[in-house]
Amino acid sequence: MLQPPHSSLQIAAVPAQRAAARDRDQDAPWHTEAVCRRDEAGLFFAPSKEPTAARLSREEAAKRVCARCPVMVECREHALLQPEPYGVWGGLTAAERRVVLARRRRREMELKKTPRPGRIAAAG
Ligand code: SF4
């Protein structure tokens, strides 16, 4: 992302290519309004070997920050389109984003299978 939100502290925690992608997006307009750009930097990415209870608590705290962020929708779409494999983005954890992406893929497949009215008329 821009490096959203979760700035330099997290860059070290993600693969180099992800950090490069974030750097490329750094100037995206929505990024400048990210609430997490200014504070709460440690909430968005897991430290290594984080216990489950601590992770759940941290993720909920990050989501509360996202809930008051004016660019949550833009951030979420960015994280889904990249896709961003780590951290909380746009109020969603990595696991939640995988579910959203799977639903989108399933919906797209269903739409492809559904005959369009124009095709039916032409065929008939
Ligand atoms: S939605 Fe959350 S992760 Fe995204 S920019 Fe806002 S505070 Fe940061």
Side-chain angles (χ1 to χ4, degrees):
M1 116 174 143
L2 327 172
Q3 176 182 356
H6 346 77
S7 54
S8 57
L9 289 178
Q10 292 72 29
I11 289 292
V14 300
Q17 62 271 28
R18 292 291 174 197
R22 288 178 178 192
D23 289 344
R24 279 196 304 277
D25 290 342
Q26 193 72 300
D27 294 328
W30 66 267
H31 186 257
T32 60
E33 298 179 51
V35 169
C36 57
R37 187 180 176 97
R38 292 179 291 278
D39 46 36
E40 293 110 351
L43 290 177
F44 295 86
F45 288 92
S48 63
K49 300 181 181 175
E50 181 180 40
T52 300
R55 175 180 56 79
L56 294 173
S57 175
R58 178 186 50 74
E59 288 174 344
E60 287 306 311
K63 289 178 179 185
R64 285 193 295 275
V65 174
C66 294
R68 61 181 169 86
C69 180
V71 293
M72 186 174 77
V73 172
E74 293 88 342
C75 175
R76 180 177 294 181
E77 276 309 302
H78 162 84
L80 291 167
L81 292 174
Q82 278 295 314
E84 295 288 352
Y86 308 106
V88 173
W89 295 72
L92 296 177
T93 64
E96 291 166 338
R97 290 193 303 276
R98 286 193 294 275
V99 170
V100 170
L101 288 171
R103 284 183 185 151
R104 283 185 179 182
R105 281 192 295 272
R106 207 166 34 248
R107 195 176 322 126
E108 287 171 10
M109 293 295 288
E110 289 168 2
L111 286 173
K112 285 180 183 174
K113 291 179 188 172
T114 305
R116 289 185 235 160
R119 288 186 177 175
I120 293 172

